[in-house]
Amino acid sequence: MTLGEKIYSLRIRSGLSQEAFGEKLSVSRQSVSKWETDQSVPELDKIVLISNLFMVSTDYLLKETISDETAVGEKGSLGMEQGSAYIERNACGDQIYVVAKHRVFYEYKSKKSWRGLPLVHVNIGFGRSAKGVIAIGLAAKGIVAIGLAGLGIITLAPVGIGLLLSMGVIAVGGIALGNFAVGIIALGAVCVGLFSMGALAVGQFSLGAMAIGQQVAVGDVAHGNIALGFSEASGTIFQQVTGKQSGFDPQDVLRAIDENVSSYWYPFKQWIKAMIRIMAGA
């Protein structure tokens, strides 16, 4: 039997339509039709998924000389053992767990989807990635992405890019929180943003041990148009050194901000003023 004939036979016996089978593999019905008529051949990763789905070996699928699909031992009605490999799935065939030659991966993909993306895709294992509305994996891409590396609207990953929120060691996003953070609002050890708070803060409005702010800088050492520093301040328009121990009157610096910072920066302007009042205890 050819590969296409084997796929057709396995699909029919499983009671799956071409469309339903295609959804499980994230391909179109037309692609399934071409496979079954031997007009095209599935990619290697699809071969592996077909093997897992129907609980047959890849050798059975790929070698026309092998016609006995029971060459692979079975474990119950939900699993399969092949040498050092064990594959387990739920009743719908959506959940897979594999241990093979000391390699482990776990995958779950929900049947429900939104705009072509599964609502939840969990894919954990070396060299594997996840893509879904909620994606969890070593490499994750989705509206909510969680993993070692992530790309999404909201991203939680050591290395992540999030359009709205990103949290990680290296974080890039609208709001970025990380050891190294870049964003509209950035908080971290080293941060760059329109509004930044951190040990080293660089941006339009900066608050930190070393603060460099184009508009306003507040910190132990501050450099900017308007600079308020505890130890050192360098400002092109206004500068004030408050001293680390003594309190300070914030009125002069607040007045300088009102008079010299454009209303274009209104939200950040009000934010930095609030921080200065809190620091002054006013």
Side-chain angles (χ1 to χ4, degrees):
M1 294 174 67
T2 66
L3 172 59
E5 290 170 337
K6 291 175 180 177
I7 292 174
Y8 172 79
S9 176
L10 291 167
R11 177 180 65 79
I12 293 300
R13 278 189 292 170
S14 297
L16 294 173
S17 66
Q18 287 185 339
E19 184 175 4
F21 177 51
E23 286 180 357
K24 288 184 176 293
L25 301 181
S26 301
V27 299
S28 66
R29 183 192 63 78
Q30 289 81 4
S31 293
V32 174
S33 178
K34 288 182 179 180
W35 294 347
E36 294 181 346
T37 55
D38 292 313
Q39 296 179 50
S40 66
V41 176
E43 295 179 354
L44 182 59
D45 63 325
K46 302 302 182 187
I47 295 279
V48 173
L49 289 176
I50 293 169
S51 168
N52 294 339
L53 179 62
F54 294 126
M55 294 182 287
V56 297
S57 71
T58 54
D59 277 353
Y60 165 73
L61 292 171
L62 295 173
K63 296 181 180 179
E64 293 187 14
T65 55
I66 299 178
S67 59
D68 184 7
E69 63 193 69
T70 62
V72 178
E74 292 186 358
K75 181 171 183 176
S77 60
L78 301 178
M80 174 186 74
E81 287 184 352
Q82 180 181 0
S84 60
Y86 172 62
I87 302 171
E88 183 176 309
R89 57 178 56 78
N90 61 21
C92 298
D94 293 326
Q95 188 163 302
I96 302 168
Y97 177 80
V98 175
V99 179
K101 296 180 180 179
H102 307 294
R103 293 182 61 188
V104 178
F105 78 80
Y106 170 87
E107 181 174 19
Y108 169 80
K109 184 182 289 187
S110 65
K111 283 190 162 186
K112 293 185 178 180
S113 63
W114 179 76
R115 296 192 176 183
L117 290 175
L119 291 182
V120 178
H121 187 195
V122 180
N123 197 1
I124 301 172
F126 181 76
R128 304 184 68 82
S129 62
K131 184 177 181 181
V133 176
I134 298 174
I136 302 173
L138 295 187
K141 182 178 180 181
I143 292 178
V144 177
I146 302 171
L148 290 181
L151 173 64
I153 305 297
I154 297 174
T155 300
L156 307 175
V159 179
I161 299 176
L163 297 181
L164 179 61
L165 172 65
S166 180
M167 298 176 64
V169 176
I170 299 175
V172 179
I175 300 173
L177 297 86
N179 289 353
F180 182 82
V182 178
I184 295 174
I185 298 172
L187 296 89
V190 178
C191 52
V192 179
L194 294 182
F195 189 97
S196 58
M197 296 176 62
L200 172 58
V202 179
Q204 292 291 325
F205 298 83
S206 299
L207 179 67
M210 167 70 78
I212 303 172
Q214 179 65 30
Q215 302 296 325
V216 181
V218 179
D220 188 52
V221 176
H223 299 275
N225 287 345
I226 298 172
L228 175 64
F230 296 106
S231 298
E232 179 184 329
S234 176
T236 57
I237 296 174
F238 175 92
Q239 66 183 41
Q240 180 177 327
V241 179
T242 66
K244 290 186 176 180
Q245 303 300 326
S246 61
F248 67 98
D249 186 346
Q251 296 308 314
D252 288 341
V253 66
L254 294 176
R255 187 178 304 109
I257 293 172
D258 286 333
E259 292 175 354
N260 295 283
V261 177
S262 170
S263 59
Y264 175 83
W265 298 106
Y266 182 81
F268 301 113
K269 180 178 175 178
Q270 297 305 313
W271 195 346
I272 199 75
K273 286 170 63 177
M275 297 302 295
I276 291 171
R277 289 191 181 97
I278 291 171
M279 293 166 62

